[in-house]
Amino acid sequence: MTGTDSRARVVAPTPAGTLHVRTVYGGVEARPELGVTIRFGRGRRPGVDVCVGEDDLWVSRRHGELFYRRRRWWLRNTGRQLLRLPRDRLMHATTEPVPLAVGYTPVFVRGSGFREHLVELYVTGHDDERVPRRRAVTLPPRRWPLDDDERLLLVVLGQRYLLYEEVPRPLSYRQAAEQLAYLRPGDDWRERRIEHRIEAVRRRLHAGGFPYPLTHDKSAGGPSGDLLHNLLRGLVESTTLVPPDLELLEDGP
């Protein structure tokens, strides 16, 4: 790799388990060997191996490190600001190290204002040694089965998500019932019925391996996150619900 190519696009053939680290200032790679540690932050060598956020005083001089143990690469936050991982997972300096999966992982370092600085990580897998990824068949996202009534109900509740608003929230069951009464006046969509249908969808998708929590965590004595938000977010991210579905809201009398 040369220049500023992203690790998401190109990784030179290397043995399985090799870690590639890149920022806009450059990058390094390391073989999977016990005791190897790569440090990144605002500083320069020898304090860090990869520079990130060079002009941002919110980024620590040593903000994070990657190390190899138990046959895996691990990420640790050693800075004052948070690290953000995929699925909006946040890491504080007190958070336990996180193991990296094979493939591409973007890590964002929180900076000043609304700035975030990207650290690209790529762990080579066995497939990288055999198949040129640029020519491989594209894997489709996993979409979740919904019947026509469920799709309509979820589009009504999640229309702000399908508009890709910055911080979307679901409509309330009352708001959804009012809109459904206009769209389907003969279907008797009351709040209680909406609640029961959403609960049935949540339980079915949870049993099928949905990527976000959809049921109450009884062992913790309370709900596991915002369940309706999790449901809508996962359906939009998987492209089970897509913007053209908003046409369902134009079928009023």
Side-chain angles (χ1 to χ4, degrees):
M1 178 181 294
T2 60
T4 58
D5 289 338
S6 168
R7 291 293 174 191
R9 296 195 298 269
V10 182
V11 171
T14 51
T18 300
L19 172 65
H20 306 260
V21 185
R22 175 166 287 277
T23 71
V24 296
Y25 301 101
V28 298
E29 66 179 50
R31 301 297 175 93
E33 299 174 356
L34 190 64
V36 173
T37 300
I38 297 176
R39 298 174 178 85
F40 60 87
R42 181 166 48 88
R44 290 287 189 177
R45 293 181 183 271
V48 297
D49 304 288
V50 183
C51 180
V52 60
E54 182 179 49
D55 64 341
D56 193 333
L57 295 179
W58 283 35
V59 178
S60 297
R61 287 187 291 270
R62 269 192 197 176
H63 206 105
E65 62 182 27
L66 300 129
F67 57 93
Y68 190 79
R69 75 179 184 197
R70 299 205 300 266
R71 298 184 178 182
R72 302 189 72 172
W73 286 100
W74 298 74
L75 169 67
R76 175 188 287 124
N77 185 354
T78 58
R80 293 188 176 184
Q81 299 295 330
L82 297 174
L83 298 179
R84 181 170 67 85
L85 280 62
R87 295 173 58 180
D88 288 333
R89 181 176 183 177
L90 299 177
M91 289 188 69
H92 184 259
T94 59
T95 305
E96 290 294 316
V98 172
L100 297 180
V102 169
Y104 180 73
T105 302
V107 177
F108 295 89
V109 182
R110 290 289 175 90
S112 58
F114 293 100
R115 299 175 70 186
E116 288 189 317
H117 306 279
L118 173 62
V119 180
E120 296 185 286
L121 309 177
Y122 192 97
V123 178
T124 304
H126 292 285
D127 288 345
D128 292 288
E129 299 177 316
R130 300 192 300 267
V131 181
R133 289 298 180 97
R134 284 178 288 177
R135 296 195 296 271
V137 176
T138 301
L139 298 176
R142 179 180 180 181
R143 299 184 178 95
W144 303 87
L146 301 171
D147 66 30
D148 290 343
D149 283 347
E150 291 169 347
R151 181 171 299 275
L152 173 62
L153 173 57
L154 288 160
V155 169
V156 169
L157 288 166
Q159 53 194 272
R160 295 167 181 159
Y161 296 75
L162 291 171
L163 292 170
Y164 298 146
E165 293 185 3
E166 186 173 353
V167 186
R169 298 299 302 169
L171 265 64
S172 67
Y173 288 162
R174 179 185 59 79
Q175 291 171 317
E178 292 173 355
Q179 188 163 7
L180 286 164
Y182 170 76
L183 294 171
R184 300 289 190 271
D187 286 357
D188 191 27
W189 280 104
R190 291 174 293 182
E191 293 180 48
R192 191 66 174 172
R193 182 186 176 197
I194 292 173
E195 181 181 359
H196 286 161
R197 290 302 298 267
I198 292 298
E199 182 177 358
V201 172
R202 286 196 293 104
R203 291 185 179 280
R204 186 178 78 241
L205 269 56
H206 171 76
F210 202 74
Y212 295 110
L214 293 180
T215 62
H216 295 282
D217 184 357
K218 295 181 180 179
S219 64
S224 178
D226 189 330
L227 304 183
L228 182 54
H229 170 75
N230 290 349
L231 174 62
L232 293 169
R233 177 184 175 187
L235 291 174
V236 171
E237 288 181 358
S238 66
T239 67
T240 302
L241 298 179
V242 292
D245 286 328
L246 291 169
E247 296 177 4
L248 294 172
L249 307 185
E250 302 173 0
D251 292 340

